[in-house]
Amino acid sequence: MRKFVILSLFIAGFGLMAQNAKGQGVIPEILRRLDLNNKSLQSLKADVTMVKYNPQLNATDNTVGSTSYLPKTAKHVMYVRIDWTKPVEEQISVIGESYELYRPRLNQVIVGKTGASKNIAPVGGALGFMSMSRDQLKANYTVVYIGQEQINGGATTWHLELTPKTATSYKTAEIWVDGDGMPRQAKVNEKNGDTTTVLLSNIRKNETIKSDIFKLNYDKKKVKIVKG
């Protein structure tokens, strides 16, 4: 699930390992704040910036947009929407395990399941780590504390690195968590050196979000529907 978002963006907690005493000391506080953030989060809106870097070509692609998110509850599945505005307009909606990707310039809608999709890959690849449970992270990753860093926009964060315990398509991932326990930035480091970094800014938590905004606005009779 490597391009949606999701902004399933929130972590119930980490089973973390550190490389040194400083890292060991700060990890319990990161865990506590991540737990508090996750438990209190009912909805999220944010601006999103995605940066893809190809070191072979020394080329960087920037994509800018916004996202809305409702976490999964006992009453409903997870809802995610991303509206890319630059450099081209695209809309992504994820409801449960199903997604739609609307490309107005092509008059095309791609539909499919998130788990098997290549069409929603860099965002989900980067942000998917933020929504994993403590048990999932502990079972699948070794996590180390890198240190405190300021990310783009000025927020001070804790920088964590995740290394898969089993073979995956990427080498490592990284997460930057702010003082409120909110994951602000995530990065996927591919084996070929490519990277995808997703930054959240202008974050608004627990505003009222109606589920009907996750229905994309297009004319089914006029667009070409493609199975992803």
Side-chain angles (χ1 to χ4, degrees), residues 8-21:
S8 334
L9 301 172
F10 322 101
I11 307 172
F14 290 99
L16 299 174
M17 296 176 61
Q19 290 178 318
N20 51 48

Side-chain angles (χ1 to χ4, degrees), residues 92-141:
I92 303 169
S93 175
V94 179
I95 301 177
E97 296 181 356
S98 299
Y99 79 89
E100 291 185 336
L101 169 58
Y102 176 38
R103 293 172 167 168
R105 71 190 186 284
L106 301 177
N107 200 32
Q108 178 189 77
V109 176
I110 300 175
V111 299
K113 299 295 183 180
T114 58
S117 174
K118 295 181 180 179
N119 292 301
I120 54 173
V123 175
L127 294 181
F129 300 102
M130 297 184 181
S131 61
M132 288 185 180
S133 70
R134 174 182 56 199
D135 290 342
Q136 287 174 318
L137 286 167
K138 186 175 181 179
N140 297 304
Y141 300 96

Side-chain angles (χ1 to χ4, degrees), residues 194-208:
D194 290 359
T195 64
T196 300
T197 304
V198 176
L199 170 70
L200 301 181
S201 59
N202 190 25
I203 293 172
R204 290 92 69 199
K205 300 179 184 179
N206 299 337
E207 294 184 358
T208 299

